[in-house]
Amino acid sequence: MKVGFIGLGNMGAPMARNLAAAGHDVAGFDISAQVPEGIDAAATAAVAVAAREVAITMLPDGEILRSVAHEIIPAMEPGAIMLDCSTVDVESARAVAEQARLAAVHALDAPVSGGIGGAEAGTLTFMVGGSEDAVNAVAPLLDVMGQKAVHCGPSGNGQAAKICNNMILGATMIATCEAFALADKLGLDRQAMYDVVSTSSGYSWTMNAYCPAPGIGPASPADNDYRPGFAAELMLKDLRLSQQAAEAVNADTPIGAHATEIYSSFVEDEGGKGKDFSAMLPRFVARSRPAAR
Ligand code: NAD
């Protein structure tokens, strides 16, 4: 397919490279990152998407997505598809979809999970909002960049699925880490803790597949000095999006709200920036119970 790819950062560059390697004709644009080999460098975002069947965006946030959408949608042909793979707020995803609809362009919001490793290996999971026909039309591209795509409903629902998942993930990581820190102080061996919890009702992805304790369970960023992985600041971004969405629809999410506060302190005041989000464990280990409780 003829693809224009906007946003060639940590995630976008390997995704675009995989598409080109699979034989798709890819033009790319980024305001600062270098365009990878095998991709035609375009002078502007509008040039990158002109006369292309699909425009893919992989951008930092909703505000930037909206500004790029203003540039590229008028340059796209009616019937073309805008496939946004960034993680952004639900409202921006729906606003961009509406703008696309007015220009007879099909919009899909398709945030991913799987991180940089998944982008490089072509094993991302896509959570997609938008029309079934558009999802089917981009299936050959999703197949190259990922291993699974779940159609979640109309525009915005891909972002909704992503932030609900990551709100659970952030809260569960905190719960797993505080329990390990408590176990330490109770004199319970970490391996015994893992052996019990990973096979008992406290099991979770954060315990079983991504254990935050070094040397315990399958290999994870904890075994690599907490280098990401999934950086704590990206978890904070997603938690904040979950709270923005909860506020917009008047949903009560007390645990998500508290997880957001804890990751916010961790990233902004406690040196967590640049570390994997599982570095929450050494944070808890170093702390004592607050006096007020
Ligand atoms: P990144 O900062 O490495 O890449 C974003 C790129 O967009 C940068 O190269 C930047 O120069 C470019 N850009 C910014 N404004 C632009 C504009 N106006 N026009 C063209 N290019 C522009 O970020 P990333 O890690 O690749 O993440 C991209 C998205 O994927 C984010 O929404 C992030 O939340 C999401 N995500 C990231 C991961 C991860 O592990 N890195 C995992 C899942 C989802």
Side-chain angles (χ1 to χ4, degrees):
M1 294 176 88
K2 294 181 76 170
V3 177
F5 207 117
I6 318 295
L8 298 161
N10 290 321
M11 296 290 288
M15 291 162 74
R17 266 200 309 268
N18 286 339
L19 289 174
H24 296 288
D25 173 1
V26 186
F29 175 77
D30 190 293
I31 41 161
S32 61
Q34 211 169 339
V35 175
E37 227 173 280
I39 315 277
D40 294 330
T44 66
V47 169
V49 304
R52 303 257 151 190
E53 298 160 84
V54 181
I56 304 181
T57 45
M58 194 50 165
L59 297 162
D61 60 39
E63 204 179 315
I64 294 174
L65 171 67
R66 285 179 194 239
S67 96
V68 168
H70 275 289
E71 272 183 72
I72 64 174
I73 290 174
M76 294 171 71
E77 284 175 6
I81 299 170
M82 178 174 168
L83 174 64
D84 175 46
C85 300
S86 330
T87 303
V88 303
D89 55 290
V90 176
E91 219 177 309
S92 291
R94 291 190 173 146
V96 164
E98 177 57 15
Q99 193 196 342
R101 193 186 63 78
L102 296 172
V105 165
H106 305 287
L108 295 172
D109 53 293
V112 302
S113 82
I116 298 167
E120 281 166 356
T123 54
L124 295 167
T125 295
F126 290 89
M127 296 145 252
V128 194
S131 82
E132 180 107 44
D133 287 350
V135 176
N136 291 337
V138 298
L141 305 178
L142 299 178
D143 283 348
V144 170
M145 297 186 288
Q147 61 183 358
K148 190 172 180 184
V150 180
H151 186 203
C152 301
S155 290
N157 282 23
Q159 299 295 350
K162 164 96 188 178
I163 56 170
C164 287
N165 181 73
N166 281 18
M167 188 173 79
I168 295 171
L169 178 62
T172 312
M173 181 56 84
I174 291 170
T176 302
C177 291
E178 69 179 25
F180 261 122
L182 171 61
D184 284 352
K185 290 189 176 174
L186 293 171
L188 174 61
D189 178 68
R190 286 185 173 181
Q191 185 66 53
M193 165 85 171
Y194 173 83
D195 290 344
V196 170
V197 175
S198 65
T199 54
S200 302
S201 46
Y203 84 92
S204 65
W205 186 85
T206 57
M207 176 61 85
N208 292 39
Y210 203 93
C211 184
I216 311 283
S220 72
D223 303 313
N224 193 21
D225 207 17
Y226 295 102
R227 277 190 279 277
F230 185 42
E233 60 268 28
L234 287 175
M235 172 48 79
L236 176 59
K237 171 190 172 181
D238 294 356
L239 284 168
R240 284 187 170 146
L241 288 175
S242 76
Q243 295 314 292
Q244 189 182 338
E247 173 117 31
V249 297
N250 194 21
D252 187 21
T253 55
I255 302 296
H258 198 183
T260 308
E261 279 169 28
I262 292 172
Y263 270 103
S264 161
S265 305
F266 183 52
V267 168
E268 286 164 4
D269 307 322
E270 297 164 3
K273 188 160 189 236
K275 294 190 179 149
D276 189 72
F277 82 120
S278 61
M280 194 51 75
L281 175 54
R283 174 197 182 267
F284 274 112
V285 168
R287 289 169 68 88
S288 312
R289 188 169 179 81
R293 252 188 254 155

